[in-house]
Amino acid sequence: MEEKEYFDKLFSGIQDDIKEEFLTIKRLHEENFSEYKEQFTEVFWKVYEAIAQKLEETSHIEQKLFIRLGLVDPRYLTREDLERIKECISSASDDTFYYVDEWLISAKSGKIPPSTFEEVIQDQQQEKRTFDYTWIEKEYERKLFERSIEEEKLRDLVKGVQGKGPYTKGVYTIFDEIIKSIGKLKKLDNDIKTLKETLDKAKEQTSSIQQIPQTSKDTTTSLFTEPQVIRQMVKKAIGKLGIQYPALTTNYLREVNSIFSKKYSLKLFEEFKLLDPTTLKRTIKGTEVYMPPYVILVPGYGENGFCWEPIEGVNIYGRGRIVVPIFSRKGTDPFFQAFGEYRWKLEKELSFGRWMEEGLTGEYYQYLQENKLKGQPAEYFIKDYIMWISKESNGIQKLDKPVREIFWRYLPFDESVKEKLSKVSYVYQQLWERDLRKRQKDK
């Protein structure tokens, strides 16, 4: 593609003066990198904001990749690096993982409520936020489907209850299965009732919000603030001592050792589901609902993954959102770091002020107190969480015994992982056998 055609597409719909300013500083920056680095960074973000405001589903791929990856000019990358980022160029639709361009388009369309950020949205009234109940709706439909399958199973079982004389042992076995099936149906129906009540309430709240008259300022707030929030996310992902350069270039890509394309992130996520299934679930009035946070994959040479919001604003039933840098200088750590901070913040949010006294955060806080460990509890927790997911899940013992026991109880691995670990070391065997005894006692 010719250079002129490339930049015509990149700046499609953008004011000419912004385009001219960018191209002028870009040329000077290429001639003298250090001297114009700061000016280039400033004009980069000006263009980023302008494109973000105009971005839509039909926008040119050049604009989407500028927002997604910070791709200013393909010539800034070697052929090898273009191959490295190839997976990030295409994208499959997913309702958990989003590239920034996809996130902005979804936020504009109203599919996703805007992110909360006090410095940017300080005058936005929380009661006017849209409540996101789509995930509860999906769980409700899933439970209905699960119940219909169980109903069909029960009908088939009942057909097997027949005999010309006394019932055989086989029929009595069917009786046992029928009792189990009825129990499961009762549980499913109770879950369905809970989710229906929650869903109706959420729809009612959304309806009342939409009826509140809004000024012209209110109607444009969510549209214009999300790109500013994204910039703050990128800044935090990079860190104070990180590479403060926004454009994608081979010079800095050398320091990147993990690239979180959506494809790779989803693969990692599938593995993660077995390592910490409880962090992806939420209990609503006694009903367990699968509700992972949104994951926003941001550009920049990142060192930190983090939780932006554990829940959606003031909507306790809304999904949280976490941030992971696409170009990681810290391997897979930012991915697990983000989920670790999310779990800590979510536990605090749902403890209603009692986080130091009970549950996961309470027991972990008491451990810190007893061992006279000073500093931010969340920082200790996140470091231990990364060890739990990346090391202990593979049988490599890195945690203190009390922390391992707390995590085994509150952040349990999937049963298949636990059983596998029980065969690796006596430490895990003891914990596994304790689980089995408790399960037997509960029965």
Side-chain angles (χ1 to χ4, degrees):
M1 186 187 290
E2 293 291 328
E3 181 182 356
K4 183 180 182 302
E5 185 186 351
Y6 178 86
F7 286 107
D8 282 348
K9 288 183 177 180
L10 180 62
F11 286 94
S12 176
I14 307 302
Q15 291 173 286
D16 286 340
D17 59 332
I18 294 178
K19 176 182 177 180
E20 289 308 315
E21 182 187 5
F22 179 82
L23 292 177
T24 300
I25 293 175
K26 175 180 179 288
R27 187 170 60 254
L28 292 169
H29 178 53
E30 288 167 353
E31 293 168 359
N32 193 327
F33 186 87
S34 300
E35 186 177 339
Y36 290 94
K37 182 180 176 183
E38 195 172 318
Q39 279 181 264
F40 177 77
T41 299
E42 286 177 15
V43 77
F44 173 95
W45 284 112
K46 186 187 287 188
V47 172
Y48 198 95
E49 171 88 14
I51 293 176
Q53 299 298 347
K54 298 283 185 181
L55 201 65
E56 52 189 32
E57 202 66 60
T58 55
S59 293
H60 294 297
I61 186 66
E62 290 80 1
Q63 293 183 321
K64 290 182 177 179
L65 294 181
F66 186 93
I67 297 296
R68 183 183 301 180
L69 307 175
L71 183 61
V72 170
D73 190 332
R75 293 174 300 180
Y76 286 2
L77 298 169
T78 62
R79 186 170 294 179
E80 291 75 21
D81 281 337
L82 283 169
E83 187 65 27
R84 282 180 76 192
I85 69 164
K86 189 169 68 174
E87 274 191 0
C88 300
I89 292 172
S90 60
S91 178
S93 180
D94 186 77
D95 53 16
T96 296
F97 287 82
Y98 287 81
Y99 287 125
V100 172
D101 56 299
E102 298 168 335
W103 180 263
L104 290 172
I105 291 167
S106 295
K108 279 185 186 181
S109 68
K111 180 185 171 185
I112 295 171
S115 305
T116 301
F117 187 42
E118 294 77 13
E119 291 176 27
V120 175
I121 316 174
Q122 51 192 313
D123 61 346
Q124 185 178 3
Q125 296 178 29
Q126 290 293 340
E127 62 268 17
K128 291 187 180 179
R129 289 168 58 87
T130 306
F131 275 25
D132 177 19
Y133 54 79
T134 52
W135 206 258
I136 297 175
E137 203 163 34
K138 284 182 181 179
E139 274 297 291
Y140 177 66
E141 294 297 330
R142 190 180 68 80
K143 292 281 185 184
L144 284 175
F145 177 73
E146 202 176 327
R147 188 180 67 180
S148 70
I149 297 295
E150 194 61 38
E151 288 167 350
E152 188 64 34
K153 179 184 171 184
L154 181 59
R155 282 192 285 271
D156 289 342
L157 285 168
V158 171
K159 287 176 186 175
V161 180
Q162 51 186 312
K164 294 177 180 177
Y167 285 140
T168 63
K169 285 183 179 179
V171 173
Y172 274 92
T173 300
I174 292 173
F175 285 156
D176 291 338
E177 290 300 315
I178 287 173
I179 291 167
K180 285 180 188 176
S181 184
I182 291 171
K184 190 172 180 181
L185 280 172
K186 283 182 176 179
K187 173 69 171 67
L188 282 167
D189 192 57
N190 187 55
D191 290 349
I192 287 166
K193 283 177 184 173
T194 301
L195 289 171
K196 182 73 167 61
E197 288 171 9
T198 305
L199 192 56
D200 289 345
K201 186 178 177 183
K203 285 181 177 179
E204 189 180 317
Q205 286 174 317
T206 299
S207 179
S208 63
I209 288 165
Q210 290 169 347
Q211 291 169 15
I212 297 172
Q214 295 184 335
T215 64
S216 58
K217 182 180 179 181
D218 286 328
T219 57
T220 58
T221 298
S222 62
L223 178 65
F224 289 99
T225 57
E226 198 68 16
Q228 297 171 49
V229 178
I230 292 296
R231 183 174 178 180
Q232 293 301 313
M233 289 177 178
V234 173
K235 184 179 179 181
K236 190 171 180 181
I238 292 169
K240 291 179 181 178
L241 303 176
I243 298 171
Q244 308 296 325
Y245 187 75
L248 190 59
T249 169
T250 287
N251 287 343
Y252 292 125
L253 206 51
R254 291 190 189 101
E255 298 188 34
V256 168
N257 49 32
S258 277
I259 296 180
F260 287 106
S261 65
K262 193 187 279 193
K263 184 179 178 181
Y264 176 59
S265 299
L266 284 167
K267 177 179 176 292
L268 208 56
F269 188 59
E270 286 304 309
E271 295 168 7
F272 177 76
K273 286 177 182 177
L274 293 175
L275 304 180
D276 186 9
T278 58
T279 288
L280 305 176
K281 295 173 183 174
R282 194 92 62 83
T283 301
I284 298 175
K285 296 179 182 176
T287 297
E288 200 173 70
V289 177
Y290 175 70
M291 194 184 289
Y294 292 114
V295 183
I296 309 168
L297 302 168
V298 300
Y301 310 98
E303 297 188 6
N304 306 303
F306 53 89
C307 172
W308 192 255
E309 296 180 277
I311 62 170
E312 176 211 309
V314 295
N315 176 16
I316 201 165
Y317 301 129
R319 295 167 69 187
R321 47 201 72 185
I322 66 176
V323 177
V324 175
I326 295 176
F327 304 108
S328 168
R329 299 172 66 206
K330 301 283 187 180
T332 56
D333 281 5
F335 188 89
F336 302 130
Q337 184 184 10
F339 279 101
E341 188 178 28
Y342 166 72
R343 180 59 183 266
W344 180 266
K345 285 188 172 182
L346 184 64
E347 292 282 337
K348 283 185 72 174
E349 189 75 36
L350 301 181
S351 70
F352 303 103
R354 297 179 61 84
W355 71 273
M356 291 186 287
E357 302 163 33
E358 55 190 38
L360 171 62
T361 54
E363 289 199 29
Y364 189 82
Y365 180 75
Q366 293 304 318
Y367 157 77
L368 295 179
Q369 294 291 100
E370 288 165 9
N371 288 274
K372 297 181 171 55
L373 294 170
K374 306 295 182 185
Q376 291 295 323
E379 291 180 11
Y380 284 106
F381 176 83
I382 294 165
K383 285 178 184 175
D384 283 345
Y385 181 89
I386 293 172
M387 289 295 180
W388 178 246
I389 298 297
S390 62
K391 301 296 182 186
E392 295 268 347
S393 67
N394 291 308
I396 304 166
Q397 294 163 39
K398 290 287 184 180
L399 300 176
D400 286 352
K401 183 182 176 183
V403 175
R404 182 180 298 109
E405 291 184 351
I406 292 169
F407 282 14
W408 185 276
R409 189 159 58 254
Y410 289 103
L411 300 168
F413 301 129
D414 181 81
E415 293 300 307
S416 60
V417 178
K418 283 184 174 183
E419 188 173 5
K420 185 180 175 183
L421 286 173
S422 71
K423 297 169 184 176
V424 170
S425 164
Y426 180 66
V427 169
Y428 301 112
Q429 184 186 341
Q430 281 186 306
L431 293 167
W432 171 245
E433 287 176 353
R434 189 188 302 171
D435 279 2
L436 295 178
R437 286 195 297 272
K438 184 177 183 301
R439 204 173 301 160
Q440 193 62 38
K441 186 180 177 183
D442 290 342
K443 282 184 181 179

